[in-house]
Amino acid sequence: MADNKQPNQKSANEKSKDPKKGRIVIFSSIVVIILIAAIAAMIFSNLHNNEAKPKKKQPTHRTEQMTRIDYTGQPFIGSSNAPVKVVEFADYRCPYCKEFEENVIPDLEKDYIKTGKISLYFINDPILGPGSVLAANASEEVYHQNPKAFWAFHKAVYDAQKSEKEQWVTKKLLTTIAKKTVPSIDIKAFQNALDTKSRQNEVDKDTSLADSLGVPGTPVLFVGDQMIENGQDYTVLKKAIDKALAENK
């Protein structure tokens, strides 16, 4: 008697579908592997970028205590024998620095500088772009040629300050100011300093000092080696100076 059994249709169908399922599984696996590889690459890239761009160190109590200000070669007014040194880190394009120049320095001169109690130092910290760097180079060249004339030039640059949004610092303007405030200046050497940034090493030295001290912006004031928070406020600065004077008796 012949076997009338029909082939198992379900098994046959499943067998016919197996290759397709296999391809789907393989394709899905490839996609997953690609995604994992992409994620791994992104993580590695981020880690590499973070390593390639070192973050500026934030000031700590320890670094503030260990870092000392080198006053050598920095312009100052007042007696070199004054018991307390006050330092301003500033940018010629900074409007708050201009306010300090106009509103606070006259009081400092009257109360402390002319009386021989403090000497006031100025250190460049050009943070507002190429114009700031150019003005800093100009001030360094003036100081190099004629230290006594530095402050007249310094004040005139602040007097010429315009909006922070304007690129008002130009070689022509700085040359005009130098001719007016420093009659004895070697103008060719001054212009060459602007063209070649021959005083950039001095500017870099200033900015490196500012970074090592954790100077967060401009203007920033130090009394001795101590950064004074809100030191551009004369009341705050006066209190810090009086304290330092008392400690130096």
Side-chain angles (χ1 to χ4, degrees), residues 10-219:
K10 183 176 181 181
S11 298
N13 289 338
E14 285 178 352
K15 288 180 181 179
S16 66
K17 291 179 181 179
D18 282 345
K20 184 181 291 186
K21 285 186 177 181
R23 286 195 296 271
I24 292 172
V25 170
I26 292 170
F27 178 76
S28 300
S29 299
I30 292 172
V31 170
V32 170
I33 291 170
I34 291 172
L35 287 173
I36 292 172
I39 292 170
M42 289 175 63
I43 292 172
F44 177 79
S45 177
N46 287 335
L47 288 173
H48 178 73
N49 288 338
N50 288 335
E51 290 175 357
K53 299 177 182 179
K55 294 180 180 179
K56 184 177 180 180
K57 292 182 179 179
Q58 294 300 313
T60 65
H61 178 73
R62 181 175 176 80
T63 57
E64 287 175 4
Q65 292 300 315
M66 292 181 67
T67 304
R68 294 291 178 264
I69 297 175
D70 182 3
Y71 302 96
T72 306
Q74 301 293 0
F76 72 93
I77 48 175
S79 171
S80 59
N81 296 318
V84 173
K85 291 180 172 63
V86 176
V87 182
E88 177 196 7
F89 286 86
D91 182 318
Y92 284 109
R93 294 186 65 240
C94 166
Y96 302 106
C97 298
K98 178 180 171 72
E99 287 181 13
F100 183 83
E101 175 74 22
E102 294 177 344
N103 301 326
V104 177
I105 288 183
D107 288 333
L108 281 178
E109 287 190 285
K110 180 182 68 175
D111 296 340
Y112 296 103
I113 297 172
K114 289 181 179 179
T115 56
K117 295 177 180 178
I118 72 166
S119 51
L120 175 65
Y121 287 75
F122 174 85
I123 298 181
N124 280 300
D125 191 15
I127 61 174
L128 296 176
S132 299
V133 174
L134 184 63
N137 271 268
S139 73
E140 294 287 354
E141 176 62 21
V142 168
Y143 182 72
H144 175 75
Q145 288 198 35
N146 190 335
K148 290 184 178 180
F150 170 85
W151 292 97
F153 176 83
H154 169 89
K155 183 178 184 303
V157 175
Y158 274 125
D159 289 343
Q161 189 186 97
K162 296 182 181 180
S163 168
E164 192 178 335
K165 296 179 180 179
E166 295 183 48
Q167 298 302 319
W168 58 272
V169 179
T170 63
K171 293 177 183 179
K172 181 179 179 181
L173 172 66
L174 293 171
T175 301
T176 299
I177 293 174
K179 286 179 178 178
K180 288 182 179 179
T181 57
V182 193
S184 63
I185 196 166
D186 181 338
I187 202 66
K188 288 185 178 179
F190 178 81
Q191 290 174 326
N192 180 66
L194 299 186
D195 291 337
T196 65
K197 290 189 172 63
S198 60
R199 297 296 165 190
Q200 189 62 41
N201 284 341
E202 286 93 333
V203 176
D204 290 342
K205 178 184 174 183
D206 288 352
T207 55
S208 293
L209 176 59
D211 289 344
S212 70
L213 291 164
V215 173
T218 56

